[in-house]
Every structure is written in C-alpha cells, then in structure tokens.
Amino acid sequence: MRIDSNFDSGNITVISTDSHTNVRLHLRKDINADHKQWFYFRASNIQGLDCQYYIDNADEASFPEAWDTCTIVASSDRKEWRRINTHYDGKTLSFKDKSDSPITYYALFAPYSYERHIDLIGKSLAHPQCSLVKTIETVNKNQVEVLQIGSSSPHKKSIWIIARQHPAETMSEWLMEGFLQELLKKDGHSILSKATLYIVPNMNPDGSIAGNIRTNGSGIDLNRSWNTPCAEKTPESFYVLDLMKKTGVDLFLDIHGDEDRPFTFAAGCEGIPNFTEKQASLDKNFRRYFNEETIDFSIENGYPTDEPNQALLDIACHQIGYLYGCLSLTIELPFLDNKYNPDPKCGWSPERSIKMGTQLLTPIARILEEI
C-alpha cells in the first residue's frame, strides 16, 4: 500500500500504514496559514483489501462541528464519485473502504482540477459572446481570469458572479461550469440582451492548486479582504474591485460551499449600514424565484441574519452591496447533501452543482426585470 497527495489539490500527511490496512493520517495546514479541513489523497495497491483510514487530528480542523454528519467521496477514475460514511469520536475522523480498483482517490468533496479550469476558460472563450476582460496575476504567478459575456452598453445592467474564493469549495466551480455552458449555448441566453455579465470561475487558483481549504498564496482568506484589499497580498480581490469601478454592479453573486449545512441557500447583506427596502425586496424575490426553479435551493437562510449595521464589510457580498446599493448575495452549496431532496448514493455531487448552475439563469432573468 502507498498513500500520497502529490498532485493538483492534494492534501494529506501520512503518519503510518500499519499492517498495510490501517492507515493513520493528518490534515495538513493551508500554505502560510493555520486553516485545515480539506483532504484529497490517493491510496495505491489496495485492490480487494479492507482498509481502515484514521485522520487523527480531525479535531484541529477549522470546522470540526462538520465531522459529526460528514460523508466523504471516493473514486477510482476521478469521474464518478461515491459516498462513504465516516465516524467521528471527538478527535479522530475514520472511515472504512474496500476498493475493487488498485488505486482509489478519497476527498472531502469531488475536486475541480486546475486542468479542468483551464479547459473551462478555453471552451468559454471559443464562444463569440465571451471575451477575456482581464487576467490578474496571483502571488504564486497563476492567473485569475475575468470573463465578459455579452457586449457592454450603458443601457445594460452589469452582473458580477465570482466563485471559489475558498479553494476547497469546489462545488462552486462545478456550478460555474454549468452556468457558463448554459449561458453560452447556441447564440447565447436572452439575458444578454439586457445585461453584461462578468464571470470569475476561480478567484483563488493558488489555494486550489496547493490543496488549501480557505486561503490564497499569501495565506489570507480572500473573503475577509474586500474592505482593505492589497495589490501585493490579495491581488485577486484588489483588481476585481478596481474593475468593478469601471463596470458598475447591479447584481452580485458570490458562490461558495458550506461544510456543515445540508442544503443550498443564500446569505444576504441586510446588515450593511445603507441597506435599503429595494435591496430587501430584491433579496426576497430572488430567493423565491430560485426556489420556484429548483427544490434544491432553499429559501431558508443557513446563517443567522445580521443585525442592522453589524455586517462585516470585509466579506465580498457585504462590501459590494454597500458600495453599489445592489442585490448582493452569497450562494452556499452543501458538501454533504440536500436534506430536502436527498441522494443516498451520491449526496451532493458535481452533477447536481452543474445542474444548479444551469438553473441559476432563471432567477437572474426574472430579477433583472426588477433591478
């Protein structure tokens, strides 16, 4: 048996492989930060073996409360992922598996590789309605691509959608893949006659490649950087904000994933100092439109709502709502499953995330009539 994570997005530390079937592991910290939770590793030469895996420092994770109901994913081909139940005793997260394949991959959620990201950008740019507005160089010399979908015009609304500020929340980029594919079908979507879209499928390639859960190449949580972004340490948020000054923002969506909440939901910007009745109405209606489009989106808010003037302006959703007075939402997808529409075999999956990306177009189109 051999355990390794020496590949894109891989993350694990091997402590021991006693008797070839008992594997003791540790979560590895983000590069330059103390966050830890994401894991993604490969077990080789295990065909037909009853293997027991123990992550002995699970209690040190950033969100240990998520382990109590945790299921993880496994795959032999990295295309189809099956769910595995886990056990958490307050310190160690453990799971068993007997694989029919000599090599099996295990992860907290189905990874979205950097290679697939590059392919997504290339396929999108092949469409005549899609152009590359800007590339932002990261601390580790990777590129954040900002795509423009549709022609710009002073008579059109500006829609911004970003994803994967937190790199382990791969379901957010799976959603973006579905969204872009649907938006760019044939001659484009009817939305493009009314709005110009600015899309960032992956805000954090440094963290994605490194196998981080939460931070960029500087060890900074990008979604805590929007009030005082820095060109040197958080170029991703700094230059996106700079570009927004030129385009304006009429609708902002930030796509994330939540380790603990077993459903998809939105969190708004109701706690910003200048929150208006118009923003409140748009927020309520958008949630309703999305729920009417798919039962996989819940009107229920997974987080407590902020009291007036208590919103943290470092968070993208809050900062953009504050600066532009627009409908500004964080969309959270589950790592686990949707308790309102469960799938016992696959739980929440890349396929469901992609489908939700296609379904996101309907509430956007409907809310455009009110903005």
Side-chain angles (χ1 to χ4, degrees):
M1 171 186 285
R2 173 178 168 79
I3 306 294
D4 78 297
S5 57
N6 299 320
F7 42 81
D8 172 17
S9 303
N11 183 331
I12 206 68
T13 298
V14 181
I15 304 303
S16 68
T17 54
D18 300 337
S19 304
H20 301 289
T21 55
N22 290 305
V23 182
R24 308 210 79 95
L25 307 165
H26 273 188
L27 300 171
R28 194 204 71 209
K29 291 181 180 179
D30 282 10
I31 306 300
N32 299 320
D34 287 335
H35 297 287
K36 65 177 76 160
Q37 188 117 14
W38 171 256
F39 61 85
Y40 174 29
F41 64 89
R42 170 174 54 192
S44 303
N45 303 313
I46 60 168
Q47 187 171 11
L49 297 179
D50 288 308
C51 296
Q52 178 78 51
Y53 301 88
Y54 302 90
I55 300 178
D56 287 328
N57 65 341
D59 60 321
E60 300 173 6
S62 299
F63 307 101
E65 61 273 13
W67 298 135
D68 287 330
T69 56
C70 179
T71 62
I72 66 168
V73 296
S75 175
S76 59
D77 60 8
R78 296 192 294 176
K79 294 179 181 178
E80 294 185 9
W81 294 86
R82 55 188 169 87
R83 285 277 167 177
I84 298 177
N85 290 325
T86 66
H87 173 71
Y88 181 58
D89 63 7
K91 178 176 174 58
T92 298
L93 183 76
S94 61
F95 60 94
K96 297 179 181 180
D97 192 39
K98 183 176 182 179
S99 178
D100 295 330
S101 171
I103 295 177
T104 300
Y105 295 83
Y106 300 96
L108 187 58
F109 189 81
Y112 195 100
S113 71
Y114 190 60
E115 190 70 21
R116 191 179 185 104
H117 166 80
I118 292 171
D119 288 344
L120 175 62
I121 297 298
K123 290 175 184 177
S124 299
L125 287 172
H127 194 283
Q129 289 272 36
C130 181
S131 60
L132 184 64
V133 179
K134 187 177 183 66
T135 58
I136 300 166
E137 187 172 87
T138 67
V139 173
N140 292 340
K141 309 300 181 184
N142 292 302
Q143 300 295 322
V144 175
E145 301 92 351
V146 182
L147 304 179
Q148 177 179 319
I149 316 294
S151 59
S152 56
S153 165
H155 304 294
K156 287 185 175 182
K157 303 296 183 181
S158 291
I159 298 173
W160 275 85
I161 307 177
I162 68 172
R164 213 170 170 187
Q165 288 201 76
H166 297 148
E169 295 166 14
T170 57
M171 59 289 296
S172 65
E173 192 162 6
W174 287 108
L175 179 147
M176 292 297 261
E177 179 177 309
F179 181 84
L180 284 165
Q181 287 176 352
E182 187 70 16
L183 182 64
L184 295 173
K185 273 185 177 178
K186 296 180 180 179
D187 297 326
H189 196 274
S190 60
I191 287 175
L192 298 179
S193 65
K194 301 175 183 178
T196 307
L197 288 88
Y198 300 92
I199 308 294
V200 187
N202 187 344
M203 282 285 294
N204 194 346
D206 287 359
S208 302
I209 294 167
N212 289 355
I213 180 176
R214 203 158 180 90
T215 58
N216 74 346
S218 301
I220 295 174
D221 183 337
L222 286 179
N223 205 30
R224 299 298 184 271
S225 72
W226 290 78
N227 197 28
T228 55
C230 170
E232 289 73 34
K233 293 186 176 182
T234 57
E236 304 91 342
S237 52
F238 181 90
Y239 287 108
V240 165
L241 270 173
D242 186 63
L243 190 55
M244 285 176 170
K245 294 175 185 177
K246 302 171 185 176
T247 67
V249 185
D250 297 294
L251 168 61
F252 176 73
L253 301 177
D254 184 13
I255 315 300
H256 283 258
D258 189 278
E259 295 85 351
D260 191 29
R261 276 77 173 177
F263 53 94
T264 297
F265 63 95
C269 62
E270 66 284 339
I272 61 175
N274 55 349
F275 192 64
T276 65
E277 291 184 6
K278 177 70 177 295
Q279 285 171 303
S281 175
L282 291 172
D283 182 318
K284 179 180 178 180
N285 289 345
F286 182 91
R287 295 171 195 250
R288 178 166 58 87
Y289 298 153
F290 207 171
N291 176 256
E292 289 173 355
E293 177 64 14
T294 172
I295 61 171
D296 271 337
F297 180 82
S298 174
I299 293 176
E300 177 186 352
N301 191 342
Y303 303 142
T305 55
D306 290 321
E307 295 296 323
N309 299 310
Q310 296 301 308
L312 182 63
L313 294 181
D314 287 328
I315 293 174
C317 164
H318 299 164
Q319 181 66 214
I320 305 308
Y322 172 71
L323 288 177
Y324 294 98
C326 63
L327 172 60
S328 185
L329 296 169
T330 302
I331 306 292
E332 297 277 1
L333 280 65
F335 275 73
L336 303 176
D337 199 357
N338 184 350
K339 67 180 182 180
Y340 301 114
N341 184 25
D343 181 338
K345 180 181 178 181
C346 297
W348 194 260
S349 63
E351 292 76 19
R352 293 178 76 176
S353 300
I354 288 171
K355 183 177 180 180
M356 178 159 277
T358 69
Q359 294 165 328
L360 179 58
L361 287 158
T362 297
I364 289 175
R366 293 181 69 180
I367 206 69
L368 268 176
E369 301 296 326
E370 302 171 27
I371 293 176

